Amino acid sequence: MMKSLQSQLTTTTTALDELTKVVGNGRTVKMDIDRLNEYAVRVLDQRLARAVDAPVKRVESTLEGFEQRVSAMGAEKVSEATQRLDQTLAKAEYVAEAVGHSERRLETLEGRQAWTALGRLCLALVPLAAVLLVIGGLTMGVFHALGFGPLLGWAWGLSWRRARGGRRG
């Protein structure tokens, strides 16, 4: 028993020496700053996670509500834009058909327009021709009475010869 007691005493003394080395004189405390930092950070992380968990969930639910409203508004705007685009395309098709119809009408009228315009021009010139004929008849008699008849005949003949490529004379 003595031996066991002695071995326990030796063990206790050795442990006491080791504790004295670690603790020192008992008045100063030595800390391992790195281990303390690790422990403090781990504890703070856990506490912050618990403290922030509820507000984060509230913010997430609020954001989900916003996302749903924004997506609903976006879908509504897209459907409105699609409807407007369909209306615009329908109007564009109507305008294209109307323009095509107008072009066909213009093409059919184009051939008629030349003859119609020529006929109208001739009708407009009939009174002018009648007036010129009357004025010419009156003036020719006066010119012949004054002796200009042979001179006018010569000028008329000269213009006919030039027009046919004849000689000058």
Side-chain angles (χ1 to χ4, degrees):
M1 171 117 141
M2 248 345 209
K3 282 192 178 204
S4 77
L5 216 70
Q6 187 176 7
S7 89
Q8 283 180 353
L9 185 63
T10 307
T11 306
T12 307
T13 307
T14 308
L16 181 63
D17 286 340
E18 288 177 10
L19 279 173
T20 305
K21 284 180 186 174
V22 170
V23 173
N25 62 5
R27 294 185 191 136
T28 58
V29 177
K30 293 182 183 177
M31 288 190 244
D32 187 3
I33 298 297
D34 293 332
R35 285 179 56 195
L36 180 62
N37 281 340
E38 288 175 19
Y39 175 76
V41 166
R42 191 173 357 113
V43 169
L44 280 175
D45 281 345
Q46 291 171 355
R47 287 183 182 172
L48 282 174
R50 277 186 259 133
V52 172
D53 192 32
V56 166
K57 287 183 180 178
R58 281 195 313 253
V59 168
E60 286 175 350
S61 67
T62 304
L63 285 177
E64 285 176 11
F66 284 146
E67 286 176 357
Q68 290 173 357
R69 286 193 297 194
V70 166
S71 67
M73 287 172 53
E76 183 180 316
K77 293 295 181 185
V78 166
S79 81
E80 285 179 15
T82 303
Q83 289 174 353
R84 287 184 183 170
L85 181 63
D86 290 340
Q87 291 171 353
T88 304
L89 287 176
K91 287 180 182 177
E93 288 176 9
Y94 174 74
V95 167
E97 288 175 10
V99 167
H101 179 64
S102 297
E103 285 179 348
R104 286 189 297 275
R105 249 181 107 196
L106 284 175
E107 286 173 1
T108 57
L109 291 176
E110 191 173 309
R112 291 187 215 161
Q113 188 64 28
W115 291 107
T116 306
L118 185 62
R120 287 182 181 167
L121 182 66
C122 288
L123 284 175
L125 291 177
V126 167
L128 179 65
V131 167
L132 288 177
L133 187 62
V134 169
I135 291 175
L138 292 175
T139 57
M140 288 303 273
V142 171
F143 279 125
H144 279 288
L146 295 175
F148 289 116
L151 184 62
L152 291 174
W154 170 80
W156 184 258
L158 182 65
S159 67
W160 270 101
R161 274 188 244 139
R162 280 192 183 169
R164 288 186 297 175
R167 62 180 173 86
R168 296 170 118 172

